[in-house]
Amino acid sequence: MGTEIPRSEEISEALLRPESEKTATSAADEHVPEWKEQITIRGLAVSALLGTLFCIITHKLNLTVGIIPSLNVAAGLLGFFFVKSWTGFLSQLGFTVKPFTKQENTVIQTCVVACYGLAFSGGFGSYLIAMDEKTYKLIGADYPGNHAEDVINPGLWWMIGFLFVVSFLGLFSLVPLRKVMVLDYKLTYPSGTATAMLINSFHTNTGAELAGNQVKCLGKYLSLSLIWSCFKWFFSGIGDACGFDNFPTLGLTLFKNTFYFDFSPTYIGCGLICPHIVNCSVLLGAIISWGILWPFVSQHAGDWYPADLGSNDFKGLYGYKVFIAIAIILGDGLYNLVKIIAVTVKEICSSRSKRLNLPIVTDVVDDSEASEILLVKKKRDEVFLKDRIPLGFAVSGYVGLAAISTATIPLIFPPLKWYFVLCSYFIAPALAFCNSYGTGLTDWSLASTYGKIGLFIIASVVGSDGGVIAGLAACGVMMSIVSTAADLMQDFKTGYLTLSSAKSMFVSQLVGTAMGCVIAPLTFWLFWTAFDIGDPNGPYKAPYAVIFREMAILGIEGFAELPKHCLALCYGFFIAALLVNFLRDITPPKISQFIPIPMAMAVPFYIGAYFAIDMFVGTVILFVWERINRKDADDFAGAVASGLICGDGIWTIPSAILSILRINPPICMYFGPSSAS
């Protein structure tokens, strides 16, 4: 699975406070529709449409660079755009339309996030295609631990079945704790809170004009991105060396080391959404790896590794790239896992938990606002607790689904025995709680880290006879539960702040998950059929497929076959990842905000530097924009980024159709050194 980038690591308490006395009073007296009225046919139709679009975007990012920005706010904005456009159109035709409420908007956003979340946690860019024949051949048939019998090629029907039996358990695992997480601990869930504030602003008189301008901005940049992506296609020719995607903007020497700007609206949009420190960390990782480390290692070809190896041979430079990236990812993931578990235990056990210096929301009010804010809080609590989800329903649902899953998964993945699956479901609720709590504090889901732990444990226990498939499948089981549980709590927070029923949130999560179980495999199948997924020299490298399969092999075989000094470098970068995270935690915020994030640095080590240039261009645009007009940047940067990402994502559909029909671009625009005269 890719690296999911949080919107932010903390959120201001001011976001949770009413804008004025008038707003507070109206919110306290506001009529709230019944939970069934919050779920509408038009809302579900828009959710399916946006879920499809966001699944395509997520697949594209997962199969290219593996960095997925949070799209919650974009889901809320586009949901508002589509329903408002539809109701406005019907009104002009003279039809009477049901008012579009913020609760319906919240349900749409929840449904969309649940749907595209499965494109992220479903393993289509990681553990599922790590099982396929292409990845097996890429690593090499003669590579120790890489066995031909450990191959299961993607199949549309078994992938849909697998998602249906593993994706719903996370929703039932933490439902009984929703009051504890949202009301008692007052966890922030920054992305959920930001989405709620956006939706609330759309549905107030003061926010209507801004919402309209944001929608126009999104539409404008979506159109520009779509047109530009179409224009680029005409010059991309046959093969992977043509077009603007291979434009040597920084010169041919740097181009050979993957340093170039490839004019990608998607990555520029990611740069606009992701925090500055994330984009700078990615660029720093690219400079360290492709600017310094790989040229240095290449100079020792013939000594450290055989000089005549292919570019994708794990006994050569390729092995350094993959295993050092794995070392950084594991170092960062394990550090944050231990940190979150420690914080969670300390928070629960300490009577002073709410006074710790953590981004937990507290109600700080002055005398003039106290009564209004308390009225609003009382109203929110009342709505949130009104439609209860019975404990017995949640427990029986979890037990029943776990029984079905335990019986079914070994039929799909025979090496993963039923008792391994059953053990996973015994410990999963505790891990889901830790991940949901950590997400509430930091906005950073560690689902992939929990998945990797399951991968290593099961692969090592099963051994060489099926351990690779068993480990990868166990990774999927664990990742699905902890990821969907965190998403559900995030959406409960959004629902709490928008006066949406907890029952409507839960039902919309169920519906969105069911949509995702079908839409995510179908949209992946579009990529799988149209493009050469997994080609290390192509646009859809699927970088995490190789990394996850190597992790499973590593769990079985150890480090015996690594090239010279590779293990020492892995140890060094693993320890460096731990130290950098430790420095981020112990230094004051004024300093720590400039310390890079190891997880973000790891991605370009394996993939290349080109997308880091694009994301850095995005962050420079945002930085300059914030200096020129901070308010405009805050109001419209998300809309611009969403438009750029969605426009490029929409073009993927006609591009894939053209590829399936074997219609090639008419022109190959190629750049190379001029010949000597």
Side-chain angles (χ1 to χ4, degrees), residues 620-669:
V620 168
I621 291 171
L622 181 61
F623 181 81
V624 173
W625 192 358
E626 287 173 338
R627 293 300 176 273
I628 295 173
N629 191 327
R630 181 65 185 240
K631 186 178 185 306
D632 270 6
D634 291 342
D635 289 342
F636 295 106
V640 172
S642 301
L644 291 174
I645 294 171
C646 292
D648 200 20
I650 290 171
W651 171 249
T652 301
I653 301 173
S655 173
I657 293 171
L658 290 170
S659 179
I660 291 170
L661 297 176
R662 299 294 183 263
I663 299 174
N664 296 314
I667 302 170
C668 174
M669 183 176 68

Side-chain angles (χ1 to χ4, degrees), residues 402-423:
I404 295 170
S405 185
T406 301
T408 306
I409 289 177
L411 300 178
I412 304 173
F413 306 112
L416 186 62
K417 304 301 182 185
W418 66 268
Y419 42 86
F420 290 129
V421 181
L422 188 61
C423 289

Side-chain angles (χ1 to χ4, degrees), residues 43 149 160 179 223 261 265 279 299 384 386 420 438 487 505 661:
E149 56 269 23
I160 291 175
K179 177 180 178 294
S223 303
F261 177 61
N279 299 313
Q299 291 174 3
F384 189 69
K386 177 185 174 185
F420 290 129
D487 287 344
M505 291 291 94
L661 297 176

Side-chain angles (χ1 to χ4, degrees), residues 411-465:
L411 300 178
I412 304 173
F413 306 112
L416 186 62
K417 304 301 182 185
W418 66 268
Y419 42 86
F420 290 129
V421 181
L422 188 61
C423 289
S424 298
Y425 289 142
F426 272 116
I427 64 172
L431 299 180
F433 173 81
C434 290
N435 191 47
S436 298
Y437 197 100
T439 304
L441 292 174
T442 66
D443 211 26
W444 195 298
S445 175
L446 297 177
S448 61
T449 301
Y450 291 99
K452 290 176 192 120
I453 291 172
L455 184 156
F456 275 113
I457 293 173
I458 298 300
S460 60
V461 170
V462 174
S464 59
D465 187 15

